[in-house]
Amino acid sequence: MTDVHATYFELPPVGPPIFRRLWATGLLFAEDLDELAAQPWKRENVRLHSQIQCGSDLCFIASGFAFRCRVTAESERHLMSLAIPGDICTYTCVTGRSAYAVPEAGSRCSVLRLDANHAAALFEGNPRLRCAVLANLASDNVVVEELLTSVGRRNAMQRIAHLLCELEFRYRRLNLTKGNQFTLKLTQVQMGMYLALSAVHVNRVIQELRRLKLIELRGRALTIPDVQALRRMANFSSDYLEDYLNENEPRLKAV
Protein backbone atom coordinates (compact mmCIF):
# COMPACT_ATOMS: atom_id res chain seq x y z
CA MET A 1 0.00 0.00 0.00
CA THR A 2 1.48 3.33 -1.01
CA ASP A 3 1.06 6.55 0.92
CA VAL A 4 0.42 10.05 -0.36
CA HIS A 5 3.09 12.69 -0.67
CA ALA A 6 3.78 14.53 2.58
CA THR A 7 2.40 17.72 1.02
CA TYR A 8 -0.94 16.10 0.14
CA PHE A 9 -2.58 17.08 3.44
CA GLU A 10 -1.10 20.56 3.66
CA LEU A 11 -3.45 23.53 3.65
CA PRO A 12 -3.42 25.67 0.50
CA PRO A 13 -1.14 28.69 0.81
CA VAL A 14 -4.05 31.07 0.14
CA GLY A 15 -7.81 30.91 -0.12
CA PRO A 16 -10.35 28.92 1.92
CA PRO A 17 -9.72 25.27 2.91
CA ILE A 18 -12.72 24.25 0.78
CA PHE A 19 -10.36 24.33 -2.23
CA ARG A 20 -7.85 22.03 -0.54
CA ARG A 21 -8.67 19.05 -2.75
CA LEU A 22 -8.07 21.07 -5.93
CA TRP A 23 -4.76 22.23 -4.49
CA ALA A 24 -3.80 18.61 -3.72
CA THR A 25 -3.80 17.77 -7.43
CA GLY A 26 -0.44 19.51 -7.70
CA LEU A 27 -1.64 21.38 -10.78
CA LEU A 28 -2.21 24.79 -9.23
CA PHE A 29 -0.17 27.77 -8.14
CA ALA A 30 -1.03 30.21 -5.37
CA GLU A 31 -2.27 32.77 -7.91
CA ASP A 32 -4.77 30.20 -9.23
CA LEU A 33 -6.27 29.86 -5.75
CA ASP A 34 -6.41 33.64 -5.46
CA GLU A 35 -8.33 33.81 -8.73
CA LEU A 36 -10.68 31.02 -7.64
CA ALA A 37 -11.37 32.59 -4.25
CA ALA A 38 -12.05 36.00 -5.85
CA GLN A 39 -15.00 34.70 -7.90
CA PRO A 40 -18.56 35.85 -6.98
CA TRP A 41 -19.49 32.73 -4.99
CA LYS A 42 -22.92 32.39 -3.42
CA ARG A 43 -23.63 30.22 -0.41
CA GLU A 44 -26.90 28.27 -0.30
CA ASN A 45 -28.42 26.16 2.45
CA VAL A 46 -30.01 22.88 1.37
CA ARG A 47 -32.60 20.95 3.36
CA LEU A 48 -32.31 17.24 4.06
CA HIS A 49 -33.40 15.08 1.08
CA SER A 50 -33.62 18.13 -1.22
CA GLN A 51 -32.03 17.88 -4.65
CA ILE A 52 -29.17 20.24 -5.45
CA GLN A 53 -29.94 21.64 -8.88
CA CYS A 54 -26.52 22.58 -10.22
CA GLY A 55 -27.24 22.84 -13.94
CA SER A 56 -23.99 24.09 -15.46
CA ASP A 57 -22.97 25.99 -12.32
CA LEU A 58 -19.85 25.04 -10.39
CA CYS A 59 -21.04 23.84 -6.98
CA PHE A 60 -18.94 22.71 -4.03
CA ILE A 61 -20.29 21.02 -0.92
CA ALA A 62 -19.37 23.45 1.86
CA SER A 63 -20.86 21.61 4.85
CA GLY A 64 -22.81 18.43 5.48
CA PHE A 65 -22.86 15.82 2.73
CA ALA A 66 -24.84 14.75 -0.32
CA PHE A 67 -25.43 11.55 -2.26
CA ARG A 68 -25.26 11.46 -6.02
CA CYS A 69 -28.45 9.53 -6.84
CA ARG A 70 -29.74 7.81 -9.94
CA VAL A 71 -33.54 7.74 -10.04
CA THR A 72 -35.13 5.07 -12.23
CA ALA A 73 -38.31 5.39 -14.29
CA GLU A 74 -40.02 3.61 -11.38
CA SER A 75 -38.79 6.37 -9.02
CA GLU A 76 -36.35 4.03 -7.28
CA ARG A 77 -33.32 5.82 -5.82
CA HIS A 78 -29.84 4.34 -6.16
CA LEU A 79 -26.97 5.98 -4.26
CA MET A 80 -24.01 6.14 -6.63
CA SER A 81 -21.44 8.13 -4.67
CA LEU A 82 -20.95 10.39 -1.69
CA ALA A 83 -19.93 14.07 -1.76
CA ILE A 84 -18.49 15.68 1.38
CA PRO A 85 -17.08 19.19 1.98
CA GLY A 86 -14.57 20.14 -0.70
CA ASP A 87 -16.18 17.89 -3.32
CA ILE A 88 -17.79 19.19 -6.51
CA CYS A 89 -21.44 18.20 -6.85
CA THR A 90 -21.50 17.63 -10.62
CA TYR A 91 -19.05 18.23 -13.45
CA THR A 92 -21.33 19.62 -16.15
CA CYS A 93 -19.41 22.90 -15.80
CA VAL A 94 -16.36 21.31 -17.46
CA THR A 95 -17.80 18.41 -19.49
CA GLY A 96 -20.91 20.07 -20.95
CA ARG A 97 -22.79 16.83 -20.24
CA SER A 98 -25.82 16.82 -17.96
CA ALA A 99 -25.34 14.70 -14.87
CA TYR A 100 -27.37 11.49 -14.69
CA ALA A 101 -26.79 11.21 -10.95
CA VAL A 102 -28.48 14.14 -9.22
CA PRO A 103 -26.97 15.38 -5.93
CA GLU A 104 -29.37 15.00 -3.01
CA ALA A 105 -28.68 16.32 0.47
CA GLY A 106 -27.99 13.44 2.85
CA SER A 107 -28.01 15.90 5.74
CA ARG A 108 -28.66 19.57 6.11
CA CYS A 109 -25.86 21.00 4.05
CA SER A 110 -24.62 24.13 2.33
CA VAL A 111 -23.25 24.67 -1.15
CA LEU A 112 -20.87 27.23 -2.65
CA ARG A 113 -22.16 28.10 -6.13
CA LEU A 114 -20.50 29.91 -9.01
CA ASP A 115 -22.87 30.59 -11.89
CA ALA A 116 -22.22 28.95 -15.25
CA ASN A 117 -21.12 32.10 -17.08
CA HIS A 118 -18.47 32.97 -14.50
CA ALA A 119 -17.35 29.33 -14.35
CA ALA A 120 -17.01 29.14 -18.14
CA ALA A 121 -14.94 32.34 -18.24
CA LEU A 122 -12.80 31.09 -15.35
CA PHE A 123 -11.96 27.78 -17.03
CA GLU A 124 -11.42 29.39 -20.43
CA GLY A 125 -8.91 31.82 -18.96
CA ASN A 126 -7.20 29.37 -16.61
CA PRO A 127 -6.58 25.87 -18.03
CA ARG A 128 -4.83 24.79 -14.84
CA LEU A 129 -8.05 25.19 -12.85
CA ARG A 130 -9.96 23.27 -15.51
CA CYS A 131 -7.42 20.45 -15.37
CA ALA A 132 -7.59 20.32 -11.56
CA VAL A 133 -11.38 19.97 -11.69
CA LEU A 134 -11.05 17.21 -14.29
CA ALA A 135 -8.52 15.46 -12.04
CA ASN A 136 -11.16 15.49 -9.28
CA LEU A 137 -13.68 14.06 -11.74
CA ALA A 138 -11.35 11.20 -12.63
CA SER A 139 -10.85 10.40 -8.95
CA ASP A 140 -14.59 10.55 -8.25
CA ASN A 141 -15.22 8.07 -11.07
CA VAL A 142 -12.81 5.63 -9.43
CA VAL A 143 -14.65 6.06 -6.11
CA VAL A 144 -17.79 4.79 -7.86
CA GLU A 145 -15.81 1.84 -9.23
CA GLU A 146 -14.55 1.08 -5.72
CA LEU A 147 -18.12 1.14 -4.39
CA LEU A 148 -19.15 -1.35 -7.09
CA THR A 149 -16.24 -3.56 -6.04
CA SER A 150 -17.40 -3.39 -2.43
CA VAL A 151 -20.97 -4.34 -3.26
CA GLY A 152 -19.93 -7.09 -5.64
CA ARG A 153 -16.89 -8.64 -3.94
CA ARG A 154 -16.57 -7.65 -0.27
CA ASN A 155 -18.48 -9.09 2.67
CA ALA A 156 -20.51 -6.84 4.95
CA MET A 157 -17.73 -6.20 7.47
CA GLN A 158 -15.22 -5.39 4.75
CA ARG A 159 -17.69 -3.06 3.02
CA ILE A 160 -18.34 -1.05 6.16
CA ALA A 161 -14.71 -1.02 7.29
CA HIS A 162 -13.64 0.07 3.79
CA LEU A 163 -16.16 2.92 3.78
CA LEU A 164 -14.99 4.10 7.21
CA CYS A 165 -11.37 4.07 6.03
CA GLU A 166 -12.36 6.05 2.95
CA LEU A 167 -14.26 8.63 4.99
CA GLU A 168 -11.37 8.97 7.45
CA PHE A 169 -9.01 9.72 4.55
CA ARG A 170 -11.38 12.15 2.86
CA TYR A 171 -12.22 14.08 6.04
CA ARG A 172 -8.54 14.22 7.03
CA ARG A 173 -7.75 15.65 3.58
CA LEU A 174 -10.04 18.58 4.40
CA ASN A 175 -8.63 18.91 7.95
CA LEU A 176 -11.99 17.79 9.38
CA THR A 177 -10.55 15.19 11.75
CA LYS A 178 -9.17 15.47 15.26
CA GLY A 179 -6.46 12.88 15.49
CA ASN A 180 -8.17 9.68 14.34
CA GLN A 181 -11.66 10.98 15.09
CA PHE A 182 -14.26 12.45 12.75
CA THR A 183 -18.00 13.04 12.75
CA LEU A 184 -19.86 10.17 11.11
CA LYS A 185 -22.83 12.00 9.64
CA LEU A 186 -24.29 8.98 7.82
CA THR A 187 -27.04 7.11 9.59
CA GLN A 188 -27.01 3.32 9.64
CA VAL A 189 -29.98 3.34 7.25
CA GLN A 190 -28.02 5.53 4.81
CA MET A 191 -24.95 3.31 5.13
CA GLY A 192 -27.11 0.31 4.35
CA MET A 193 -28.62 1.95 1.26
CA TYR A 194 -25.16 2.99 0.07
CA LEU A 195 -23.56 -0.42 0.61
CA ALA A 196 -26.56 -2.62 -0.33
CA LEU A 197 -27.05 -3.87 3.24
CA SER A 198 -30.00 -3.80 5.60
CA ALA A 199 -29.89 -1.35 8.50
CA VAL A 200 -30.01 -4.33 10.88
CA HIS A 201 -26.94 -5.85 9.21
CA VAL A 202 -25.10 -2.53 9.40
CA ASN A 203 -25.86 -2.30 13.12
CA ARG A 204 -24.53 -5.80 13.76
CA VAL A 205 -21.30 -5.08 11.90
CA ILE A 206 -20.79 -1.77 13.71
CA GLN A 207 -21.21 -3.55 17.04
CA GLU A 208 -18.71 -6.23 15.96
CA LEU A 209 -16.17 -3.60 14.91
CA ARG A 210 -16.60 -1.99 18.31
CA ARG A 211 -16.18 -5.35 20.07
CA LEU A 212 -12.95 -5.92 18.14
CA LYS A 213 -11.81 -2.43 19.25
CA LEU A 214 -11.30 -1.38 15.64
CA ILE A 215 -13.62 1.59 16.11
CA GLU A 216 -15.11 3.61 18.96
CA LEU A 217 -18.46 5.32 18.45
CA ARG A 218 -19.94 7.86 20.85
CA GLY A 219 -22.97 9.53 19.36
CA ARG A 220 -21.71 10.56 15.93
CA ALA A 221 -18.07 10.90 16.98
CA LEU A 222 -16.22 7.96 15.41
CA THR A 223 -12.66 7.18 16.48
CA ILE A 224 -10.40 4.68 14.74
CA PRO A 225 -7.82 3.75 17.42
CA ASP A 226 -5.51 2.06 14.90
CA VAL A 227 -6.11 3.24 11.35
CA GLN A 228 -3.65 0.77 9.87
CA ALA A 229 -5.36 -2.16 11.61
CA LEU A 230 -8.74 -1.19 10.17
CA ARG A 231 -7.15 -0.69 6.74
CA ARG A 232 -5.64 -4.16 6.88
CA MET A 233 -8.95 -5.72 7.83
CA ALA A 234 -10.72 -3.90 4.96
CA ASN A 235 -7.81 -4.45 2.54
CA PHE A 236 -7.96 -0.69 2.00
CA SER A 237 -5.51 1.36 -0.05
CA SER A 238 -5.95 5.10 -0.46
CA ASP A 239 -4.47 5.03 -3.98
CA TYR A 240 -7.85 5.47 -5.68
CA LEU A 241 -8.51 8.64 -3.67
CA GLU A 242 -5.27 10.37 -4.51
CA ASP A 243 -5.84 12.82 -7.33
CA TYR A 244 -2.49 14.62 -7.21
CA LEU A 245 -0.41 14.99 -10.34
CA ASN A 246 2.27 12.33 -10.72
CA GLU A 247 5.60 14.03 -10.10
CA ASN A 248 6.96 12.52 -13.33
CA GLU A 249 4.27 14.18 -15.45
CA PRO A 250 4.67 17.69 -16.85
CA ARG A 251 2.86 20.49 -15.06
CA LEU A 252 1.32 23.47 -16.80
CA LYS A 253 3.51 26.49 -16.22
CA ALA A 254 2.36 29.69 -14.61
CA VAL A 255 1.65 32.40 -17.16
Side-chain angles (χ1 to χ4, degrees):
M1 179 175 63
T2 60
D3 199 1
V4 294
H5 296 317
T7 57
Y8 192 65
F9 292 98
E10 291 180 357
L11 286 171
V14 293
I18 199 70
F19 302 134
R20 188 174 186 175
R21 188 179 167 198
L22 288 177
W23 175 252
T25 62
L27 288 161
L28 302 180
F29 296 91
E31 56 264 35
D32 301 320
L33 292 177
D34 276 332
E35 184 178 5
L36 188 62
Q39 299 300 309
W41 296 95
K42 294 182 180 179
R43 192 182 185 102
E44 300 176 359
N45 294 321
V46 185
R47 293 179 298 176
L48 175 65
H49 301 316
S50 297
Q51 290 188 351
I52 304 172
Q53 301 294 345
C54 296
S56 296
D57 294 348
L58 175 60
C59 297
F60 284 85
I61 297 292
S63 66
F65 72 95
F67 291 108
R68 298 184 183 97
C69 302
R70 286 289 299 268
V71 181
T72 68
E74 294 77 25
S75 298
E76 294 179 343
R77 294 165 59 252
H78 297 275
L79 308 185
M80 306 302 297
S81 61
L82 179 64
I84 68 170
D87 290 342
I88 296 171
C89 295
T90 67
Y91 291 89
T92 303
C93 56
V94 289
T95 66
R97 295 286 300 274
S98 297
Y100 286 101
V102 179
E104 178 185 292
S107 67
R108 287 186 297 177
C109 65
S110 61
V111 173
L112 281 182
R113 180 188 296 270
L114 181 65
D115 75 72
N117 290 332
H118 284 97
L122 175 67
F123 294 138
E124 183 177 353
N126 192 323
R128 291 186 300 276
L129 281 168
R130 182 173 65 249
C131 288
V133 170
L134 289 172
N136 281 185
L137 169 59
S139 178
D140 284 355
N141 286 339
V142 182
V143 169
V144 177
E145 294 174 9
E146 197 67 26
L147 175 61
L148 291 174
T149 301
S150 278
V151 172
R153 308 297 291 182
R154 297 184 177 114
N155 62 38
M157 183 167 289
Q158 289 173 325
R159 288 184 214 178
I160 292 174
H162 197 278
L163 175 61
L164 295 180
C165 289
E166 177 183 298
L167 289 173
E168 186 276 334
F169 181 95
R170 294 171 67 182
Y171 279 118
R172 181 157 50 95
R173 178 168 56 190
L174 265 292
N175 200 31
L176 295 176
T177 58
K178 295 180 179 179
N180 293 339
Q181 182 183 100
F182 63 93
T183 301
L184 182 63
K185 295 182 179 292
L186 279 77
T187 67
Q188 292 184 5
V189 171
Q190 289 172 326
M191 289 179 67
M193 292 178 64
Y194 190 61
L195 297 173
L197 298 167
S198 70
V200 172
H201 205 162
V202 171
N203 181 264
R204 288 174 181 164
V205 171
I206 292 292
Q207 297 308 318
E208 181 64 10
L209 290 172
R210 295 175 74 175
R211 187 188 70 79
L212 295 171
K213 302 187 184 304
L214 289 171
I215 65 169
E216 298 172 3
L217 187 60
R218 297 183 179 180
R220 294 200 171 187
L222 186 138
T223 303
I224 304 176
D226 187 339
V227 173
Q228 293 305 319
L230 188 64
R231 285 185 167 198
R232 285 192 297 270
M233 198 274 281
N235 194 23
F236 175 87
S237 170
S238 62
D239 289 353
Y240 72 101
L241 295 168
E242 299 164 12
D243 41 16
Y244 59 83
L245 181 70
N246 188 296
E247 59 188 11
N248 295 322
E249 296 179 23
R251 184 163 104 161
L252 293 173
K253 296 180 180 179
V255 177

